[in-house]
């Protein structure tokens, strides 16, 4: 099986191209993580088996931590308005 890797061109570190590429990457990762969070909530809301409930709790916690991290990174790069930074995700009440 062949593996292909795309190498990015050698660009100086202070270039605007790198900054714009990082902003797009964080936006894309935020969108993917938000989608994964919505799917995890849907799965959690629809299971009744205790083992699956535990699995979705762990998945939700992991995805929420990633989403919070990405929101913090986006806020540092001024990609989000201040009011959007606080509406990160809904919490699971009574579950830790």
């Amino acid at each position: 099986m062949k593996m292909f890797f795309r190498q990015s061109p050698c660009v100086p570190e202070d270039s605007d191209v790198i900054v714009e590429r990082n902003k797009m990457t964080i936006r894309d990762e935020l969108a993917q993580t938000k989608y994964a969070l919505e799917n995890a909530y849907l799965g959690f809301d629809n299971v009744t088996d205790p083992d699956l409930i535990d699995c979705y709790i762990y998945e939700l916690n992991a995805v929420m931590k990633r989403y919070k991290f990405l929101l913090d990174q986006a806020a540092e790069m001024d990609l989000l308005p201040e009011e959007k930074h606080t509406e990160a995700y809904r919490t699971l009440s009574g579950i830790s």
Side-chain angles (χ1 to χ4, degrees):
M1 178 158 108
K2 291 185 180 181
M3 304 276 301
F4 295 98
F5 298 97
R6 192 178 89 189
Q7 294 180 343
S8 59
C10 186
V11 181
E13 197 170 297
D14 59 342
S15 173
D16 290 340
V17 174
I18 292 176
V19 173
E20 290 300 318
R21 186 172 179 192
N22 286 341
K23 287 182 182 180
M24 287 303 295
T25 300
I26 289 185
R27 286 183 184 143
D28 293 341
E29 287 185 36
L30 267 171
Q32 290 173 353
T33 306
K34 186 175 180 181
Y35 180 73
L37 189 60
E38 290 171 359
N39 282 337
Y41 275 121
L42 285 173
F44 179 78
D45 290 340
N46 292 313
V47 295
T48 56
D49 183 56
D51 291 334
L52 287 176
I53 291 172
D54 288 342
C55 289
Y56 278 109
I57 289 171
Y58 288 119
E59 183 178 349
L60 282 167
N61 286 332
V63 175
M64 283 191 288
K65 286 182 188 271
R66 178 169 177 76
Y67 193 60
K68 184 179 181 316
F69 170 79
L70 290 171
L71 283 174
D72 291 340
Q73 293 294 315
E76 284 179 14
M77 297 176 79
D78 294 328
L79 295 174
L80 297 176
E82 189 63 33
E83 65 272 3
K84 290 286 184 185
H85 182 68
T86 56
E87 66 174 53
Y89 47 82
R90 68 177 175 146
T91 59
L92 292 175
S93 58
I95 299 173
S96 56

